[in-house]
Structure formats: structure tokens, C-alpha cells
């Protein structure tokens, strides 16, 4: 921000997030399909309540 001469950090962040930590450009975080998890070899052992 300082090096770019901007007054707001939001003007120089390449991947801005909302206050809730979501990325509106790629809709992240989002639900992952079981097929995607299998492709990557990821197993979910328990679910959050």
C-alpha cells in the first residue's frame, strides 16, 4: 500500500476477501463434491456439528 502510494490496503490486495473471509470472485469457500475428494485422495472422518 505504501509502496504503491495508495491510501487503502484494499486497493492493492490481489485476492480481496469479505469481512466473513469469503472470496466473491471464485465463490470460495464452497462445498466440495465427494468425487473431487476421491480424486485427491482426501477422506473426511467426522462432521462438525
Amino acid at each position: 500500500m505504501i509502496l504503491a502510494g495508495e491510501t487503502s490496503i484494499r486497493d492493492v490486495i490481489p485476492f480481496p476477501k469479505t469481512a466473513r473471509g469469503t472470496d466473491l470472485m471464485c465463490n470460495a469457500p464452497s462445498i466440495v463434491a465427494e468425487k473431487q475428494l476421491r480424486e485427491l485422495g482426501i477422506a473426511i472422518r467426522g462432521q462438525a456439528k
Side-chain angles (χ1 to χ4, degrees):
M1 177 182 102
I2 294 170
L3 293 174
E6 297 293 337
T7 57
S8 173
I9 190 74
R10 293 177 187 234
D11 294 335
V12 295
I13 294 176
F15 305 104
K17 306 285 187 278
T18 65
R20 294 182 65 193
T22 59
D23 185 342
L24 299 176
M25 306 257 315
C26 65
N27 196 27
S30 62
I31 297 174
V32 179
E34 284 292 325
K35 180 181 177 184
Q36 292 172 313
L37 293 174
R38 282 193 308 271
E39 287 175 356
L40 296 172
I42 298 173
I44 299 176
R45 294 186 177 196
Q47 293 184 349
K49 292 182 179 182

